[in-house]
Short mmCIF file of all heavy atoms in Angstrom, two decimals:
data_model
loop_
_atom_site.label_atom_id
_atom_site.label_comp_id
_atom_site.label_asym_id
_atom_site.label_seq_id
_atom_site.Cartn_x
_atom_site.Cartn_y
_atom_site.Cartn_z
N THR A 1 -47.19 10.30 48.28
CA THR A 1 -47.90 9.89 49.48
C THR A 1 -49.16 10.20 49.45
O THR A 1 -50.13 9.40 49.82
CB THR A 1 -47.01 10.40 50.64
OG1 THR A 1 -45.63 10.18 50.59
CG2 THR A 1 -47.62 9.93 51.93
N LEU A 2 -49.65 11.49 49.02
CA LEU A 2 -51.06 11.85 49.11
C LEU A 2 -51.87 10.97 47.98
O LEU A 2 -52.93 10.52 48.34
CB LEU A 2 -51.07 13.27 48.65
CG LEU A 2 -50.58 14.34 49.74
CD1 LEU A 2 -50.63 15.70 49.24
CD2 LEU A 2 -51.35 14.05 51.02
N ALA A 3 -51.23 10.69 46.91
CA ALA A 3 -51.90 9.96 45.87
C ALA A 3 -52.05 8.44 46.38
O ALA A 3 -53.18 7.90 46.26
CB ALA A 3 -51.09 9.88 44.58
N PHE A 4 -51.14 7.90 47.05
CA PHE A 4 -51.25 6.64 47.57
C PHE A 4 -52.22 6.57 48.75
O PHE A 4 -52.96 5.60 48.78
CB PHE A 4 -49.87 6.18 48.23
CG PHE A 4 -49.81 4.77 48.72
CD1 PHE A 4 -49.87 3.69 47.78
CD2 PHE A 4 -49.58 4.54 50.01
CE1 PHE A 4 -49.84 2.49 48.23
CE2 PHE A 4 -49.55 3.30 50.60
CZ PHE A 4 -49.71 2.19 49.59
N GLY A 5 -52.32 7.69 49.54
CA GLY A 5 -53.35 7.67 50.58
C GLY A 5 -54.71 7.71 50.00
O GLY A 5 -55.62 7.06 50.44
N ASP A 6 -54.98 8.51 48.90
CA ASP A 6 -56.20 8.43 48.18
C ASP A 6 -56.59 7.08 47.65
O ASP A 6 -57.73 6.71 47.69
CB ASP A 6 -56.22 9.52 47.08
CG ASP A 6 -56.21 11.01 47.45
OD1 ASP A 6 -56.49 11.19 48.73
OD2 ASP A 6 -55.69 11.83 46.75
N LEU A 7 -55.64 6.45 47.05
CA LEU A 7 -55.89 5.11 46.60
C LEU A 7 -56.27 4.12 47.70
O LEU A 7 -57.28 3.35 47.46
CB LEU A 7 -54.67 4.57 45.77
CG LEU A 7 -54.44 5.23 44.37
CD1 LEU A 7 -53.05 4.61 43.80
CD2 LEU A 7 -55.50 4.80 43.39
N ILE A 8 -55.63 4.29 48.84
CA ILE A 8 -55.93 3.35 49.91
C ILE A 8 -57.37 3.64 50.47
O ILE A 8 -58.02 2.80 50.77
CB ILE A 8 -54.92 3.45 50.99
CG1 ILE A 8 -53.55 2.88 50.63
CG2 ILE A 8 -55.33 2.86 52.31
CD1 ILE A 8 -52.44 3.09 51.53
N GLU A 9 -57.69 4.93 50.45
CA GLU A 9 -59.10 5.22 50.85
C GLU A 9 -60.13 4.70 49.90
O GLU A 9 -61.19 4.23 50.32
CB GLU A 9 -59.30 6.85 50.94
CG GLU A 9 -58.55 7.46 52.10
CD GLU A 9 -59.13 6.93 53.41
OE1 GLU A 9 -60.43 6.78 53.52
OE2 GLU A 9 -58.36 6.67 54.36
N LYS A 10 -59.79 4.82 48.56
CA LYS A 10 -60.76 4.24 47.62
C LYS A 10 -60.83 2.73 47.79
O LYS A 10 -61.98 2.07 47.64
CB LYS A 10 -60.36 4.50 46.15
CG LYS A 10 -60.53 6.00 45.88
CD LYS A 10 -59.97 6.32 44.41
CE LYS A 10 -60.09 7.76 44.12
NZ LYS A 10 -59.41 8.08 42.84
N ASP A 11 -59.73 2.07 47.86
CA ASP A 11 -59.69 0.60 48.10
C ASP A 11 -60.42 0.23 49.42
O ASP A 11 -61.05 -0.87 49.42
CB ASP A 11 -58.19 0.12 48.16
CG ASP A 11 -57.55 0.07 46.80
OD1 ASP A 11 -58.34 0.26 45.84
OD2 ASP A 11 -56.33 -0.10 46.75
N LYS A 12 -60.31 1.11 50.42
CA LYS A 12 -61.02 0.76 51.70
C LYS A 12 -62.50 0.92 51.47
O LYS A 12 -63.16 -0.09 52.02
CB LYS A 12 -60.60 1.74 52.71
CG LYS A 12 -61.22 1.46 54.14
CD LYS A 12 -60.76 2.46 55.19
CE LYS A 12 -61.49 2.33 56.39
NZ LYS A 12 -61.25 3.40 57.35
N THR A 13 -62.98 1.72 50.70
CA THR A 13 -64.42 1.86 50.46
C THR A 13 -64.90 0.67 49.64
O THR A 13 -66.00 0.14 49.90
CB THR A 13 -64.76 3.20 49.78
OG1 THR A 13 -64.09 3.27 48.48
CG2 THR A 13 -64.54 4.40 50.51
N VAL A 14 -64.04 0.21 48.72
CA VAL A 14 -64.48 -0.95 47.92
C VAL A 14 -64.51 -2.20 48.85
O VAL A 14 -65.35 -3.08 48.68
CB VAL A 14 -63.41 -1.16 46.69
CG1 VAL A 14 -63.53 -2.56 45.96
CG2 VAL A 14 -63.59 -0.02 45.74
N VAL A 15 -63.52 -2.32 49.69
CA VAL A 15 -63.46 -3.50 50.54
C VAL A 15 -64.63 -3.49 51.62
O VAL A 15 -65.27 -4.49 51.78
CB VAL A 15 -62.24 -3.50 51.31
CG1 VAL A 15 -62.17 -4.49 52.38
CG2 VAL A 15 -60.93 -3.89 50.35
N ASP A 16 -65.03 -2.34 52.01
CA ASP A 16 -66.15 -2.18 52.91
C ASP A 16 -67.46 -2.53 52.20
O ASP A 16 -68.37 -3.35 52.77
CB ASP A 16 -66.14 -0.81 53.37
CG ASP A 16 -65.15 -0.43 54.49
OD1 ASP A 16 -64.49 -1.44 55.01
OD2 ASP A 16 -64.94 0.77 54.75
N GLU A 17 -67.55 -2.14 50.94
CA GLU A 17 -68.86 -2.43 50.18
C GLU A 17 -68.82 -3.93 49.97
O GLU A 17 -69.91 -4.55 49.98
CB GLU A 17 -68.84 -1.65 48.84
CG GLU A 17 -69.02 -0.24 48.96
CD GLU A 17 -68.84 0.60 47.68
OE1 GLU A 17 -68.55 -0.07 46.68
OE2 GLU A 17 -69.05 1.78 47.71
N ALA A 18 -67.82 -4.58 49.53
CA ALA A 18 -67.66 -5.99 49.34
C ALA A 18 -67.97 -6.72 50.63
O ALA A 18 -68.77 -7.75 50.58
CB ALA A 18 -66.29 -6.31 48.77
N SER A 19 -67.49 -6.24 51.71
CA SER A 19 -67.75 -6.98 52.90
C SER A 19 -69.19 -6.81 53.35
O SER A 19 -69.68 -7.83 53.74
CB SER A 19 -66.98 -6.17 54.12
OG SER A 19 -67.32 -6.81 55.29
N GLU A 20 -69.92 -5.72 53.14
CA GLU A 20 -71.42 -5.63 53.30
C GLU A 20 -72.10 -6.57 52.36
O GLU A 20 -73.05 -7.31 52.76
CB GLU A 20 -71.83 -4.18 53.11
CG GLU A 20 -71.35 -3.27 54.09
CD GLU A 20 -71.79 -1.77 53.70
OE1 GLU A 20 -72.59 -1.54 52.89
OE2 GLU A 20 -71.30 -0.86 54.38
N ILE A 21 -71.84 -6.70 51.15
CA ILE A 21 -72.34 -7.56 50.20
C ILE A 21 -72.19 -8.90 50.59
O ILE A 21 -73.18 -9.78 50.59
CB ILE A 21 -71.89 -7.32 48.77
CG1 ILE A 21 -72.35 -5.88 48.30
CG2 ILE A 21 -72.36 -8.50 47.87
CD1 ILE A 21 -71.69 -5.53 46.94
N LEU A 22 -71.03 -9.31 50.94
CA LEU A 22 -70.81 -10.68 51.42
C LEU A 22 -71.46 -11.15 52.66
O LEU A 22 -72.00 -12.13 52.89
CB LEU A 22 -69.12 -11.00 51.60
CG LEU A 22 -68.34 -11.08 50.41
CD1 LEU A 22 -66.95 -11.12 50.77
CD2 LEU A 22 -68.80 -12.27 49.62
N GLY A 23 -71.64 -10.05 53.65
CA GLY A 23 -72.40 -10.28 54.85
C GLY A 23 -73.88 -10.56 54.39
O GLY A 23 -74.47 -11.57 55.10
N GLY A 24 -74.37 -9.84 53.45
CA GLY A 24 -75.79 -10.20 53.13
C GLY A 24 -75.88 -11.45 52.36
O GLY A 24 -76.88 -12.21 52.60
N ASN A 25 -74.89 -11.79 51.66
CA ASN A 25 -74.97 -13.17 50.98
C ASN A 25 -74.88 -14.42 52.05
O ASN A 25 -75.51 -15.45 51.86
CB ASN A 25 -73.75 -13.27 50.01
CG ASN A 25 -73.88 -12.48 48.68
OD1 ASN A 25 -75.05 -12.08 48.49
ND2 ASN A 25 -72.85 -12.40 47.99
N VAL A 26 -74.20 -14.15 53.10
CA VAL A 26 -74.05 -15.13 54.07
C VAL A 26 -75.37 -15.36 54.81
O VAL A 26 -75.82 -16.56 54.95
CB VAL A 26 -73.02 -14.77 55.22
CG1 VAL A 26 -73.09 -15.67 56.38
CG2 VAL A 26 -71.66 -14.94 54.68
N THR A 27 -76.12 -14.24 55.03
CA THR A 27 -77.41 -14.46 55.60
C THR A 27 -78.41 -15.15 54.72
O THR A 27 -79.12 -15.93 55.13
CB THR A 27 -78.07 -13.08 56.05
OG1 THR A 27 -78.03 -12.27 54.94
CG2 THR A 27 -77.13 -12.45 57.25
N HIS A 28 -78.31 -14.77 53.43
CA HIS A 28 -79.23 -15.40 52.40
C HIS A 28 -78.82 -16.93 52.28
O HIS A 28 -79.67 -17.68 52.20
CB HIS A 28 -79.04 -14.77 51.11
CG HIS A 28 -79.76 -13.40 50.93
ND1 HIS A 28 -81.11 -13.31 51.09
CD2 HIS A 28 -79.29 -12.21 50.90
CE1 HIS A 28 -81.49 -11.96 51.08
NE2 HIS A 28 -80.33 -11.24 50.96
N MET A 29 -77.58 -17.20 52.31
CA MET A 29 -77.13 -18.56 52.08
C MET A 29 -77.53 -19.38 53.40
O MET A 29 -78.02 -20.66 53.24
CB MET A 29 -75.69 -18.66 51.99
CG MET A 29 -75.16 -18.19 50.77
SD MET A 29 -75.85 -19.00 49.25
CE MET A 29 -74.88 -20.44 49.31
N ASN A 30 -77.48 -18.81 54.53
CA ASN A 30 -77.95 -19.57 55.71
C ASN A 30 -79.42 -19.80 55.62
O ASN A 30 -79.90 -20.86 56.03
CB ASN A 30 -77.58 -18.87 56.96
CG ASN A 30 -76.11 -18.77 57.33
OD1 ASN A 30 -75.45 -19.77 56.82
ND2 ASN A 30 -75.61 -17.83 58.08
N ALA A 31 -80.24 -18.84 55.29
CA ALA A 31 -81.78 -19.05 55.12
C ALA A 31 -82.02 -20.02 54.15
O ALA A 31 -82.73 -21.01 54.34
CB ALA A 31 -82.38 -17.66 54.69
N HIS A 32 -81.39 -20.05 52.97
CA HIS A 32 -81.61 -21.04 51.87
C HIS A 32 -81.10 -22.34 52.28
O HIS A 32 -81.74 -23.37 51.98
CB HIS A 32 -81.03 -20.55 50.54
CG HIS A 32 -81.64 -19.40 49.85
ND1 HIS A 32 -83.02 -19.41 49.58
CD2 HIS A 32 -81.24 -18.15 49.63
CE1 HIS A 32 -83.43 -18.14 49.12
NE2 HIS A 32 -82.28 -17.36 49.13
N GLY A 33 -80.03 -22.44 53.03
CA GLY A 33 -79.51 -23.68 53.51
C GLY A 33 -80.55 -24.41 54.45
O GLY A 33 -80.64 -25.53 54.34
N SER A 34 -81.04 -23.61 55.36
CA SER A 34 -82.10 -24.15 56.22
C SER A 34 -83.21 -24.65 55.41
O SER A 34 -83.83 -25.80 55.85
CB SER A 34 -82.47 -23.23 57.42
OG SER A 34 -83.10 -22.05 56.89
N ARG A 35 -83.72 -23.85 54.54
CA ARG A 35 -84.99 -24.34 53.67
C ARG A 35 -84.58 -25.63 53.01
O ARG A 35 -85.31 -26.53 52.86
CB ARG A 35 -85.27 -23.34 52.68
CG ARG A 35 -86.10 -22.05 53.30
CD ARG A 35 -86.53 -21.06 52.35
NE ARG A 35 -86.89 -21.51 51.14
CZ ARG A 35 -86.77 -20.76 50.07
NH1 ARG A 35 -86.28 -19.62 50.03
NH2 ARG A 35 -87.30 -21.26 48.97
N LEU A 36 -83.31 -25.72 52.33
CA LEU A 36 -82.96 -26.91 51.62
C LEU A 36 -82.87 -28.08 52.60
O LEU A 36 -83.10 -29.28 52.14
CB LEU A 36 -81.61 -26.76 50.93
CG LEU A 36 -81.63 -25.92 49.71
CD1 LEU A 36 -80.32 -25.58 49.13
CD2 LEU A 36 -82.48 -26.70 48.62
N ASP A 37 -82.40 -27.90 53.76
CA ASP A 37 -82.30 -28.96 54.77
C ASP A 37 -83.62 -29.56 55.10
O ASP A 37 -83.81 -30.71 55.12
CB ASP A 37 -81.59 -28.49 56.06
CG ASP A 37 -81.23 -29.59 56.91
OD1 ASP A 37 -80.74 -30.67 56.30
OD2 ASP A 37 -81.17 -29.50 58.19
N LYS A 38 -84.60 -28.66 55.36
CA LYS A 38 -86.05 -29.10 55.57
C LYS A 38 -86.56 -29.90 54.30
O LYS A 38 -87.13 -30.87 54.46
CB LYS A 38 -86.94 -27.95 55.78
CG LYS A 38 -86.67 -27.25 57.09
CD LYS A 38 -87.52 -26.12 57.20
CE LYS A 38 -87.13 -25.24 58.62
NZ LYS A 38 -87.99 -23.92 58.76
N TYR A 39 -86.34 -29.35 53.11
CA TYR A 39 -86.78 -30.02 51.86
C TYR A 39 -86.07 -31.39 51.79
O TYR A 39 -86.75 -32.42 51.34
CB TYR A 39 -86.55 -29.14 50.66
CG TYR A 39 -86.86 -29.87 49.40
CD1 TYR A 39 -88.17 -29.99 49.02
CD2 TYR A 39 -85.85 -30.27 48.59
CE1 TYR A 39 -88.54 -30.65 47.76
CE2 TYR A 39 -86.11 -30.95 47.36
CZ TYR A 39 -87.52 -31.10 47.03
OH TYR A 39 -87.82 -31.71 45.83
N ARG A 40 -84.82 -31.43 52.12
CA ARG A 40 -84.13 -32.74 51.94
C ARG A 40 -84.62 -33.79 52.90
O ARG A 40 -84.87 -34.96 52.55
CB ARG A 40 -82.55 -32.60 52.14
CG ARG A 40 -81.83 -33.91 52.12
CD ARG A 40 -80.38 -33.55 52.52
NE ARG A 40 -80.18 -33.09 53.86
CZ ARG A 40 -80.35 -33.81 54.97
NH1 ARG A 40 -80.32 -35.04 54.88
NH2 ARG A 40 -80.20 -33.32 56.11
N LYS A 41 -84.99 -33.32 54.07
CA LYS A 41 -85.60 -34.27 55.16
C LYS A 41 -86.90 -34.78 54.61
O LYS A 41 -87.22 -35.97 54.70
CB LYS A 41 -85.68 -33.68 56.44
CG LYS A 41 -84.26 -33.47 57.14
CD LYS A 41 -84.48 -32.74 58.47
CE LYS A 41 -83.08 -32.48 59.09
NZ LYS A 41 -83.13 -31.75 60.31
N ARG A 42 -87.76 -33.81 54.01
CA ARG A 42 -89.00 -34.27 53.59
C ARG A 42 -88.94 -35.16 52.31
O ARG A 42 -89.71 -36.15 52.22
CB ARG A 42 -89.75 -33.01 53.15
CG ARG A 42 -91.02 -32.72 54.19
CD ARG A 42 -91.82 -31.70 53.79
NE ARG A 42 -91.13 -30.32 53.62
CZ ARG A 42 -91.32 -29.58 52.66
NH1 ARG A 42 -92.17 -29.82 51.70
NH2 ARG A 42 -90.61 -28.43 52.64
N SER A 43 -88.04 -34.83 51.41
CA SER A 43 -87.87 -35.58 50.22
C SER A 43 -87.33 -36.92 50.48
O SER A 43 -87.57 -37.87 49.77
CB SER A 43 -86.96 -34.77 49.20
OG SER A 43 -85.77 -34.70 49.56
N TRP A 44 -86.39 -37.05 51.52
CA TRP A 44 -85.77 -38.37 51.78
C TRP A 44 -86.98 -39.33 52.31
O TRP A 44 -86.98 -40.42 51.97
CB TRP A 44 -84.68 -38.32 52.80
CG TRP A 44 -84.10 -39.62 53.00
CD1 TRP A 44 -84.13 -40.18 54.27
CD2 TRP A 44 -83.34 -40.36 52.18
NE1 TRP A 44 -83.52 -41.44 54.15
CE2 TRP A 44 -83.10 -41.58 52.82
CE3 TRP A 44 -83.05 -40.22 50.88
CZ2 TRP A 44 -82.28 -42.58 52.32
CZ3 TRP A 44 -82.23 -41.27 50.21
CH2 TRP A 44 -81.90 -42.33 51.05
N GLY A 45 -87.93 -38.67 53.00
CA GLY A 45 -88.93 -39.48 53.56
C GLY A 45 -89.72 -40.11 52.27
O GLY A 45 -90.12 -41.39 52.22
N THR A 46 -90.11 -39.20 51.40
CA THR A 46 -90.96 -39.73 50.31
C THR A 46 -90.11 -40.62 49.33
O THR A 46 -90.56 -41.67 48.76
CB THR A 46 -91.44 -38.58 49.35
OG1 THR A 46 -90.24 -37.75 48.95
CG2 THR A 46 -92.39 -37.70 50.24
N THR A 47 -88.77 -40.35 49.21
CA THR A 47 -87.93 -41.18 48.34
C THR A 47 -87.86 -42.65 49.10
O THR A 47 -87.86 -43.66 48.44
CB THR A 47 -86.57 -40.57 48.31
OG1 THR A 47 -86.65 -39.40 47.73
CG2 THR A 47 -85.65 -41.49 47.48
N GLY A 48 -87.73 -42.65 50.38
CA GLY A 48 -87.66 -43.94 51.11
C GLY A 48 -88.93 -44.69 50.89
O GLY A 48 -88.91 -45.93 50.63
#
């Protein structure tokens, strides 16, 4: 039971770290998505 508890704590820290990294990725993806949307609108005008 103690060993299982330790493993769960380690897994919890790994999951928390992954959650933080994914949260950062979401913000970066949203920023890049808005930049790409602006570029697409501009490029569609020149393509047209």
Side-chain angles (χ1 to χ4, degrees):
T1 303
L2 292 174
F4 185 67
D6 291 340
L7 284 175
I8 287 177
E9 287 297 321
K10 289 177 185 176
D11 287 347
K12 183 180 175 189
T13 57
V14 168
V15 167
D16 289 341
E17 289 172 0
S19 175
E20 290 175 12
I21 291 170
L22 286 174
N25 285 347
V26 166
T27 57
H28 287 293
M29 291 299 287
N30 287 337
H32 290 300
S34 65
R35 284 180 42 209
L36 281 173
D37 193 37
K38 290 176 187 176
Y39 176 74
R40 182 187 54 85
K41 287 177 183 176
R42 253 189 296 141
S43 70
W44 181 249
T46 57
T47 303

